[in-house]
Amino acid sequence: MDSVEQATLEIKQRVQELTQILQKASYQYYVLDAPTIADAVYDRFYHELQDLETRYPELISPDSPTQRVGERPASQFTSVKHNVPLYSLENAFGNDDLTAWEQRWRKVEPDITRSKYVCELKIDGSALALTYQNGLLVRGATRGDGVTGEEITQNVRAIRSIPLRLTLDNPPAVVEVRGEAFLPLDSFEQINREREQAGEALFANPRNAAAGTLRQLDARIVAQRKLDFYAYTLHIQNDESKKIRLSSQWEALEFLQKVGFRVNPERQLCPTIQDVHAYCDHWSIARTQLRYLTDGVVVKLNSFDLQERLGFTQKFPRWAIALKYPAEEAPTIVENISVNVGRTGAITPVAELRPVQLAGTTVSRATLHNRDRIAELDIRIGDTAIVRKAGEIIPEVVRVLPELRPAGAVPYPMPTHCPECGEALVKPDDEAVTRCINTSCPAILRGALTHWASRDAMDINGVGEKLVLQLVDQGLVHSVGDLYELTIEQLLTLERMGKKSAEKILQAIQESKKQPWSRVLYGLGIRHVGSVNAQVLTQSFPSVEQLAQATSATIAQVYGIGSEIAQSVHQWFQNHANQILIERLRSAGLQLVGDEETAPKAQTAITGKTFVVTGTLPTLKRDEAKALIQKAGGKVTDSVSKKTDYVVVGDDAGSKLEKARSLEISLLSEAELLQLLTAES
């Protein structure tokens, strides 16, 4: 073997080695919740593999970790027929229904004296069918009508908890795996925060968000939204040699976890129907503490032999049933319908309700999303409406009761002109949202100023909604640039404004000039650019000039930034008024260039560790603590989970502290955090 052949062989072996290392690390992180290598180490291996595959594309394998997210968005989805139909389940609504179900199947098989049941939480997400050929993922499809679904393989590959290859040395020819894709609550809340920050309509609940995510044409958006997946059944085909022998549902779940899937850890093997009752009763209350939403329990007979003997009715399998928990709903009166004008000009109709208690809180307003939703509901002022908290989070109107409608109630007409500035409203063909496009609209200006001064943006203490309202109404401020030219004399003309307060506000405005380039970009309020996207963009474009001069295609190449975000950013910087604003901010002394000092240093013991900060700290603001952690290479999230390494606790910590204790997560005081950061820096 000559030197060239030897080098080629070594490169091929290194690619295989890196692929195996990264696949194992992903399994340990996403399936077992037990990471074995730090994120920074994973990233180094990943980039090494990516570099080798770029230089030697013939070595790229379909199961390479670099192939999870396609570079090109799909143009459309095609319909595919499922190899094995996805059946619906009969519903039960209480323990009596479960007992009646047991009695029915026992009449079909009267000789069965004892049987076991497997109980699994019914995840509120979207069912997927995954096809593996010789152990390799070749197709992912939505449930559709159970017989035919949509082929979304590119998006399925972007879900980290779905293995690209089964961890089997000698896999069957074809394996069909079924499971539920879902959005964890912390991911759902983060997405909605991002959408709110970017001026987009909020998702009503995690189920709709998951379904909408799976139908994105750009798989990079799917990867960014961090869908999760629990497998719950499988079908093995073309296995003449019977390589895999599974006799029960419980064995199947254990096998699925062994070959690389996440399986719901709350599953339980129940000897009797009374044990099933106890399981369902327990989770009817305990489900509120889960990291995802569940709307019931799926109960299956454990024995595959018994399942086969029982077979199916015309609609359902006889050997399984779904207990559905009732959604908490309440009737109330629609006292008015109003519209809000957001900072991007989005017109959002809102139902103003007679206050009603729902899921432990008082609800008096519920979003109606857009004109299409109003038409679908046919909602009118005076109607009796059924309200629920969508996903137990956001109040929504489920339906109205037309039989209780008062005489004379008329359909609600969406306004044709902006209620704030009077300009004609526009509804783009490709959007469901109606917008005011007058950049001088007071509502848009107020929203832009409030967003600019918000804690996650420039964090200007004292510049809140009330002050912004006065500044705009009195014509003192017409853009965020005007804030940096305010004088104490101007502020003293405002209501209830004393000299000391005015001086503090001007000082806070001056202090905001120290905020980093990522916060400035986020504060500009560009559509679709939330705080996370702003950080991603500023890492790739360390100065405003670089970002302003970049094409939309160049911006879209940044991992996690889709074409829609890229086009929005590019268009914003092409606007002449925005170019003038950037120059004004530059002249005012704001940070439009990244600070290298804010980048993480060399790897430390907390590099890649996940922190949650909760409660009021003695000397640090939460954002200051988060910045220190991030600067040292750590991660900061808002929700406590099994993946959290440390929870930094201040006064009045609340439920996050309780959850951290229940999960036995390490707790740190502010002093201990500072000591840890100092020791590891």
Side-chain angles (χ1 to χ4, degrees), residues 232-413:
Y232 53 66
T233 194
L234 80 161
H235 302 276
I236 300 174
Q237 303 175 41
N238 303 330
D239 189 26
E240 295 83 1
S241 62
K242 301 295 181 184
K243 300 174 185 175
I244 308 299
R245 297 178 182 274
L246 301 173
S247 62
S248 69
Q249 171 66 11
W250 192 259
E251 284 185 17
L253 293 174
E254 296 287 314
F255 175 78
L256 284 166
Q257 184 165 321
K258 177 183 175 183
V259 300
F261 288 95
R262 287 174 65 87
V263 177
N264 196 310
E266 312 302 343
R267 64 191 184 277
Q268 184 171 315
L269 186 61
C270 296
T272 68
I273 197 69
Q274 288 73 31
D275 295 310
V276 173
H277 293 172
Y279 179 92
C280 295
D281 291 345
H282 169 76
W283 285 109
S284 67
I285 299 172
R287 65 194 178 107
T288 59
Q289 303 301 315
L290 294 168
R291 69 183 187 95
Y292 49 82
L293 290 182
T294 177
D295 57 359
V297 174
V298 174
V299 184
K300 301 175 184 176
L301 282 162
N302 188 40
S303 167
F304 282 166
D305 178 63
L306 183 54
Q307 288 184 14
E308 186 175 355
R309 286 156 57 186
L310 286 171
F312 297 80
T313 67
Q314 290 184 344
K315 294 183 178 181
F316 312 114
R318 290 191 177 92
W319 41 267
I321 195 168
L323 176 79
K324 298 294 290 291
Y325 292 129
E328 186 174 349
E329 299 179 347
T332 188
I333 303 298
V334 180
E335 296 185 331
N336 193 21
I337 297 176
S338 58
V339 294
N340 290 335
V341 184
R343 64 179 177 83
T344 63
I347 306 296
T348 304
V350 176
E352 298 181 8
L353 310 168
R354 184 172 296 171
V356 61
Q357 285 291 314
L358 192 62
T361 61
T362 301
V363 173
S364 59
R365 290 164 61 86
T367 179
L368 296 172
H369 300 293
N370 51 53
R371 68 170 68 202
D372 293 341
R373 182 58 176 161
I374 286 181
E376 181 184 357
L377 289 169
D378 186 27
I379 190 169
R380 310 181 186 189
I381 296 173
D383 272 346
T384 298
I386 303 300
V387 185
R388 74 177 174 205
K389 280 196 171 181
E392 302 177 6
I393 297 173
I394 302 172
E396 70 170 353
V397 176
V398 180
R399 61 188 180 278
V400 299
L401 304 178
E403 63 272 20
L404 301 180
R405 177 170 290 156
V410 298
Y412 176 76

Side-chain angles (χ1 to χ4, degrees), residues 24-92:
K24 183 177 180 180
S26 292
Y27 174 72
Q28 290 165 332
Y29 185 93
Y30 292 103
V31 177
L32 302 182
D33 286 331
T36 55
I37 63 174
D39 286 1
V41 177
Y42 181 96
D43 290 343
R44 286 204 297 272
F45 285 143
Y46 183 92
H47 290 305
E48 181 185 350
L49 177 61
Q50 197 173 42
D51 179 62
L52 289 173
E53 290 179 343
T54 300
R55 288 188 285 146
Y56 305 96
E58 68 276 9
L59 297 181
I60 298 176
S61 62
D63 62 328
S64 170
T66 66
Q67 302 304 298
R68 277 200 175 272
V69 181
E71 292 299 321
R72 295 182 180 178
S75 58
Q76 61 181 358
F77 297 125
T78 57
S79 295
V80 292
K81 187 173 182 179
H82 296 303
N83 296 328
V84 179
L86 280 78
Y87 293 98
S88 299
L89 296 179
E90 180 183 0
N91 287 330

Side-chain angles (χ1 to χ4, degrees), residues 106-122:
R106 286 190 180 280
K107 288 180 181 179
V108 179
E109 288 289 333
D111 295 335
I112 300 296
T113 57
R114 299 187 66 182
S115 62
K116 291 183 179 180
Y117 302 91
V118 174
C119 292
E120 302 167 63
L121 294 177
K122 187 173 181 294

